[in-house]
């Protein structure tokens, strides 16, 4: 390969190799992944997807990288599947802390995108470096997959496919681990190897392989360490964020946890989650009592139903009542219980579900007799805001009990009022039982 020196390839040659190897990847990649901002060879590494590639000085004084590591990073990226319809909102968020993004590591990709899209020249000019070339994030061309949405002429919001969000979150975590281990790695390399060559080790067959640390090796799986604790109390304790970062996500178990998910209805901590899973779990509210049933509910109630039901029932309140928080129960009712009622239309490959599902409710789960769920279809050619069903809250919970027992028997067996012994003494939603009958579910 042109540009090869001292067993390494130059950054320019690595750029060309990266683009060539990832030409058919589902995730679009950017040229200049190793030479344009925010890549910084002088930091001792560059990020390609979720893989850090060590940089070293060649005998000619130029920066180079191991060709095998570039190929490994490309193979990892090519293995990532992406659904462009499964989107995660990445900003802007009100009240989010403003942080200055330096040109040095770490990646902090959310802050970079927020800053770049907020430039005076607008989104188009924001994605350009000083020399007019497009920015990238860990070699990924995020501009080609960024989706901008605006609701009723209000502030625009930015969205990326969930697979890319998870990939960038993993890249950010990998970079933190790499930087943290840099002093130890450099000391070991200085004692055993020339500084211009990557540290090597021998495998069981005697072949030399480049040593790389697994960025998730230090993460521990989440058990029940926080069960029964109130979020309002735990979130104020010093060191909670650092403790959360030491766990793997309790749902996907493949990404580092970044947030402490909790039940907004009862106030109990569920488990530490990665940003992607936390966003996937969050209801898509149109108003306080109105949600859109997005495509991600297929994962929540069909594909990965067992994992998500187990996660929601980490809340003692939901587990004791054998139900879900009201917004989640409403989404389940529309997506699952009323699925057969949704109209369809002819499409080139069979029939296509009509419009967009929406579910709203009146009343409160604290007064089950008066709470009513209304399932409708927006943007239906045969009549916008077409009402499909009106389901009383109690009927919805009864349907959910039956479905839960069939879908996740282990979760259903661990739920119910007979499990109240483990419930903390003071639960936030507990109120005086003035009617007896209306509050029989509690």
């Amino acid at each position: 390969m042109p540009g090869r020196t001292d067993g390494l390839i130059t950054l320019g040659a690595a750029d060309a190799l990266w683009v060539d190897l990832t030409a058919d990847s589902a995730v679009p990649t950017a040229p200049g992944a190793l030479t344009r901002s925010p890549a910084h060879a002088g930091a001792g590494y560059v990020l390609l997807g979720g893989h850090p590639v060590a940089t070293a000085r060649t005998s000619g004084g130029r920066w180079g990288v191991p060709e095998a590591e570039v190929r490994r990073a490309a193979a990892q990226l090519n293995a990532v599947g992406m659904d462009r319809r499964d989107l995660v909102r990445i900003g802007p968020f009100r009240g989010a802390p403003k942080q200055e993004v330096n040109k040095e590591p770490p990646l902090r990709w959310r802050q970079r995108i927020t800053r770049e899209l907020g430039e005076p020249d607008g989104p188009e000019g924001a994605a350009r470096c000083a020399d007019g070339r497009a920015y990238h994030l860990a070699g990924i061309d995020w501009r080609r997959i960024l989706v901008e949405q605006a609701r009723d002429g209000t502030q625009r919001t930015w969205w990326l496919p969930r697979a890319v969000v998870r990939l960038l979150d993993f890249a950010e975590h990998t970079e933190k681990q790499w930087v943290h281990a840099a002093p130890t790695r450099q000391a070991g390399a200085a004692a055993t190897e020339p500084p211009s060559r990557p540290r090597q080790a021998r495998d069981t067959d005697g072949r030399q392989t480049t040593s790389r640390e697994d960025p998730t090796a230090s993460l521990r799986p989440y058990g029940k360490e926080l069960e029964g604790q109130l979020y309002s109390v735990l979130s104020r304790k010093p060191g909670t964020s650092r403790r959360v970062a030491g766990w793997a996500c309790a749902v996907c178990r493949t990404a580092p946890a970044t947030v402490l998910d909790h039940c907004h209805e009862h106030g109990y901590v569920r488990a530490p989650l990665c940003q992607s899973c936390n966003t996937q779990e969050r209801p898509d509210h149109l108003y306080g009592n109105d949600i859109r049933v997005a495509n991600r509910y297929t994962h929540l109630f069909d594909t990965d139903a067992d994992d998500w039901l187990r996660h929601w029932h980490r809340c003692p309140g939901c587990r004791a009542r054998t139900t879900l928080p009201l917004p989640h129960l409403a989404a389940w009712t529309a997506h699952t219980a009323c699925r057969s009622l949704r109209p369809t239309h002819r499409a080139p490959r069979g029939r296509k579900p009509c419009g967009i599902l929406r579910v709203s409710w009146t009343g409160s789960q604290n007064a089950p007799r008066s709470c009513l769920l209304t399932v409708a279809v927006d943007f239906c050619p045969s009549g916008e805001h077409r009402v499909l069903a009106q389901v009383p809250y109690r009927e919805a919970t009864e349907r959910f009990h039956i479905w839960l027992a069939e879908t996740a028997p282990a979760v259903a067996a661990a739920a119910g009022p007979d499990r109240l012994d483990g419930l903390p003494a003071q639960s936030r939603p507990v109120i005086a039982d003035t009617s007896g009958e209306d509050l029989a579910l509690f």
Side-chain angles (χ1 to χ4, degrees), residues 6 15 103 120 125 151 226 273 283 423:
D6 294 345
D15 276 338
K103 292 185 179 180
R151 184 179 297 157
L226 306 178
L273 298 183
L423 207 59

Side-chain angles (χ1 to χ4, degrees), residues 75-278:
Q76 289 182 359
L77 187 75
N78 290 338
V80 175
M82 183 178 66
D83 182 356
R84 288 178 178 262
R85 299 170 298 176
D86 186 13
L87 299 175
V88 174
R89 181 179 174 182
I90 60 170
F93 296 107
R94 266 187 317 187
K98 294 183 179 180
Q99 295 180 332
E100 182 64 26
V101 178
N102 300 321
K103 292 185 179 180
E104 303 293 333
L107 179 64
R108 294 192 295 183
W109 65 271
R110 285 182 173 83
Q111 290 89 336
R112 286 186 179 275
I113 289 180
T114 299
R115 187 191 67 168
E116 291 165 13
L117 292 181
E119 292 289 337
D121 292 339
E124 299 302 325
R128 301 281 167 184
C129 300
D131 59 2
R133 295 181 296 182
Y135 281 103
H136 66 88
L137 293 171
I140 296 172
D141 189 355
W142 57 273
R143 285 294 303 175
R144 289 168 56 187
I145 48 179
L146 183 77
V147 176
E148 296 188 50
Q149 297 180 358
R151 184 179 297 157
D152 300 329
T154 59
Q155 183 183 22
R156 299 184 69 84
T157 54
W158 311 317
W159 305 70
L160 282 177
R162 187 175 305 279
V164 175
V165 170
R166 284 188 170 178
L167 178 63
L168 291 175
D169 278 342
F170 181 76
E172 188 169 303
H173 176 76
T174 301
E175 184 175 41
K176 289 179 182 177
Q177 296 293 319
W178 180 277
V179 172
H180 179 72
T184 303
R185 184 170 55 249
Q186 290 172 357
T192 59
E193 295 287 346
S196 62
R197 295 181 182 275
R199 187 178 178 182
Q200 306 230 311
R202 293 186 180 272
D203 62 14
T204 55
D205 296 328
R207 294 173 297 180
Q208 285 192 339
T209 58
T210 303
S211 176
R212 289 288 176 265
E213 296 182 18
D214 182 0
T216 61
S218 60
L219 298 176
R220 62 185 185 278
Y222 177 74
K224 297 182 178 181
E225 294 88 339
L226 306 178
E227 185 173 7
Q229 298 192 45
L230 290 173
Y231 178 80
S232 59
V233 176
L234 189 61
S235 62
R236 291 197 294 264
K237 288 186 177 180
T240 297
S241 298
R242 187 166 54 253
R243 186 182 179 190
V244 167
W247 274 303
C249 174
V251 174
C252 69
R253 296 181 288 276
T254 59
T258 57
V259 297
L260 191 58
D261 184 46
H262 67 287
C263 176
H264 289 254
E265 193 163 295
H266 299 100
Y268 291 111
V269 169
R270 291 192 188 115
L273 298 183
C274 66
Q275 191 68 40
S276 175
C277 285
N278 186 56

Side-chain angles (χ1 to χ4, degrees), residues 211-407:
S211 176
R212 289 288 176 265
E213 296 182 18
D214 182 0
T216 61
S218 60
L219 298 176
R220 62 185 185 278
Y222 177 74
K224 297 182 178 181
E225 294 88 339
L226 306 178
E227 185 173 7
Q229 298 192 45
L230 290 173
Y231 178 80
S232 59
V233 176
L234 189 61
S235 62
R236 291 197 294 264
K237 288 186 177 180
T240 297
S241 298
R242 187 166 54 253
R243 186 182 179 190
V244 167
W247 274 303
C249 174
V251 174
C252 69
R253 296 181 288 276
T254 59
T258 57
V259 297
L260 191 58
D261 184 46
H262 67 287
C263 176
H264 289 254
E265 193 163 295
H266 299 100
Y268 291 111
V269 169
R270 291 192 188 115
L273 298 183
C274 66
Q275 191 68 40
S276 175
C277 285
N278 186 56
T279 306
Q280 187 173 10
E281 183 266 343
R282 185 181 300 139
D284 188 10
H285 281 279
L286 295 174
Y287 307 100
N289 64 335
D290 196 335
I291 64 173
R292 179 182 290 115
V293 183
N295 292 332
R296 65 173 177 271
Y297 285 104
T298 301
H299 296 283
L300 299 180
F301 299 131
D302 293 334
T303 311
D304 306 316
D306 191 76
D307 289 335
W308 281 106
L309 291 167
R310 195 179 307 276
H311 172 69
W312 283 320
H313 273 207
R314 287 186 172 107
C315 167
C318 292
R319 187 169 64 247
R321 292 170 50 206
T322 319
T323 186
L324 299 176
L326 180 55
H328 296 82
L329 181 66
W332 174 86
T333 301
H335 179 273
T336 305
C338 297
R339 179 180 299 175
S340 61
L341 302 178
R342 187 176 182 181
T344 59
H345 298 286
R346 290 183 179 177
R349 298 181 180 179
R351 299 189 69 85
K352 179 181 179 182
C354 174
I356 299 175
L357 268 183
R358 180 171 57 89
V359 57
S360 58
W361 57 90
T362 56
S364 167
Q365 74 279 9
N366 291 334
R369 182 182 292 275
S370 63
C371 187
L372 183 68
L373 311 180
T374 300
V375 182
V377 172
D378 287 352
F379 312 115
C380 175
S382 60
E384 191 174 348
H385 305 295
R386 174 176 176 174
V387 175
L388 300 182
Q390 289 187 315
V391 184
Y393 179 83
R394 282 188 165 175
E395 181 182 338
T397 58
E398 290 171 0
R399 291 186 183 183
F400 177 76
H401 292 173
I402 298 172
W403 177 83
L404 179 66
E406 296 173 349
T407 306

